[in-house]
Amino acid sequence: MNYIQLFSPATVANVSCGFDALGLALETVGDTMTFTKTDTRGVKITQITGADLPTDPKVNAAGVVALAMLEKHPVNFGIDITIHKGYTPGSGLGSSAASAAGAAFGVNQLLGNVFSPLELTQFAMLGEEATCGSPIADNVSAAIYGGFTLVRSYEPLSIVKIPVPADLRVVAIHPQVEVKTKDARAVLPKEVPLKDAVTQWANVGGLISGLHTSDYQLIADSLTDIIVEPARKHLIPYFDEVKQQAMKAGALGAGISGSGPTIFTLCKGDETAEKVYKIIQETYQDKQIDFNMILSNINTEGIKILEQH
């Protein structure tokens, strides 16, 4: 194979109760990337559209990943990469993760599939570290594995893919305000009361069980974050109002996607999802803040090959 074009999905991380441990992949939003073998060794990012990002591979999430992979598995060819950002960086929807995971997947295809999904996740984490400051795996694992993923352990890295109930939908709003990951991390509590920790652990267990058994009521009961969301929600304008209206319209739950500012909801079925979409849109329409809306199935496949030869 000399060329591959792929779609690398946007992702929702934390999923309320699963801070830094849970992620899910979206179907309708993501990056389109191409990877082409060249005679000149090394990695070149020849084009980035849709966002103003560095093309120097040493500081670009995709470039960092590609360089690390070629160092681990040397070859007698080079790779040219193009990236079209399908959504805004800093949205809380895993923008750097889509590029990093896409690079891991695309380069692996040109190398002849020499690395496992777990190894691809480890490479993609290097891209996260280079751009966000920490090698987190929740977004990149969801993009690579698809569906819901649980980062069960970091040392050693252990990723568990969780089943997705057929009628689960995601509705999200991305207000056009900036929330820096650094700032969102700075407001987190350094210590958590044991009682709150126990509640949060129980909710993660309930959510995983609900996903396995397609128990939508259990999913709804478990989509509660009593630790991170209360500390961060003031960074997102009208968060409480959006959440309240979404729940009234029938959402199973609502929360902050990643470190924000995107607010996500999970819904059962298309009818409820459309109702929730409409009410969130109406809630934000008079707020003098630009926003984008997302309605998506959960992407159970992860990164998708669009063209190859």
Side-chain angles (χ1 to χ4, degrees):
M1 191 193 302
N2 295 309
Y3 170 88
I4 180 168
Q5 183 188 47
L6 56 80
F7 170 81
S8 187
T11 47
V12 171
N14 301 339
V15 198
S16 292
C17 53
F19 179 70
D20 275 5
L22 279 175
L24 65 87
L26 297 176
E27 204 165 76
T28 55
V29 187
D31 290 352
T32 304
M33 305 175 72
T34 68
F35 302 83
T36 310
K37 278 186 187 177
T38 63
D39 294 332
T40 313
R41 289 187 192 194
V43 174
K44 270 167 80 179
I45 299 174
T46 57
Q47 188 183 42
I48 299 175
T49 53
D52 184 19
L53 295 170
T55 54
D56 179 353
K58 291 189 187 73
V59 293
N60 179 286
V64 167
V65 173
L67 288 167
M69 293 175 77
L70 292 185
E71 196 179 314
K72 184 92 173 172
H73 188 83
V75 286
N76 63 355
F77 58 83
I79 297 176
D80 281 4
I81 301 172
T82 71
I83 304 166
H84 174 68
K85 300 298 296 178
Y87 60 110
T88 321
S91 57
L93 291 165
S95 175
S96 58
S99 296
F105 185 95
V107 171
N108 193 42
Q109 292 291 313
L110 295 188
L111 296 179
N113 273 322
V114 293
F115 296 112
S116 69
L118 190 68
E119 289 170 317
L120 295 185
T121 304
Q122 287 170 315
F123 281 119
M125 286 165 67
L126 299 174
E128 287 286 68
E129 185 174 29
T131 52
C132 306
S134 52
I136 46 173
D138 45 5
N139 291 100
V140 291
S141 63
I144 288 166
Y145 285 79
F148 272 85
T149 51
L150 169 70
V151 184
R152 195 202 58 77
S153 159
Y154 273 92
E155 290 179 7
L157 186 65
S158 171
I159 307 292
V160 182
K161 186 167 177 176
I162 312 295
V164 178
D167 289 334
L168 210 53
R169 304 287 180 266
V170 180
V171 176
I173 179 169
H174 173 208
Q176 302 296 297
V177 297
E178 188 180 17
V179 176
K180 288 185 174 148
T181 304
K182 201 171 142 193
D183 297 340
R185 293 235 168 220
V187 299
L188 297 179
K190 300 288 177 277
E191 293 179 352
V192 175
L194 183 60
K195 187 179 167 217
D196 289 352
V198 171
T199 301
Q200 198 88 334
W201 295 329
N203 281 330
V204 173
L207 179 55
I208 299 291
S209 178
L211 292 168
H212 269 277
T213 56
S214 295
D215 185 334
Y216 290 94
Q217 188 56 54
L218 181 54
I219 291 168
D221 292 342
S222 305
L223 279 169
T224 304
D225 173 11
I226 61 165
I227 295 172
V228 178
E229 187 181 294
R232 281 182 169 173
K233 66 180 184 178
H234 70 277
L235 299 170
I236 302 165
Y238 309 104
F239 174 84
D240 284 332
E241 194 180 337
V242 168
K243 181 170 182 173
Q244 198 180 12
Q245 292 302 322
M247 299 302 285
K248 262 195 209 166
L252 299 169
I256 302 168
S257 178
S259 52
T262 294
I263 305 166
F264 83 95
T265 71
L266 291 184
C267 306
K268 182 186 179 184
D270 293 327
E271 198 181 320
T272 303
E274 280 156 21
K275 213 179 283 182
V276 170
Y277 183 103
K278 196 173 170 214
I279 200 87
I280 292 176
Q281 194 174 37
E282 284 168 3
T283 303
Y284 236 84
Q285 227 139 28
D286 61 351
K287 306 295 193 227
Q288 276 76 55
I289 298 172
D290 287 338
F291 62 91
N292 296 326
M293 293 290 302
I294 294 164
L295 172 56
S296 179
N297 287 6
I298 291 172
N299 172 356
T300 54
E301 189 187 336
I303 295 163
K304 297 177 187 184
I305 296 171
L306 304 176
E307 193 187 329
Q308 58 187 357
H309 52 75

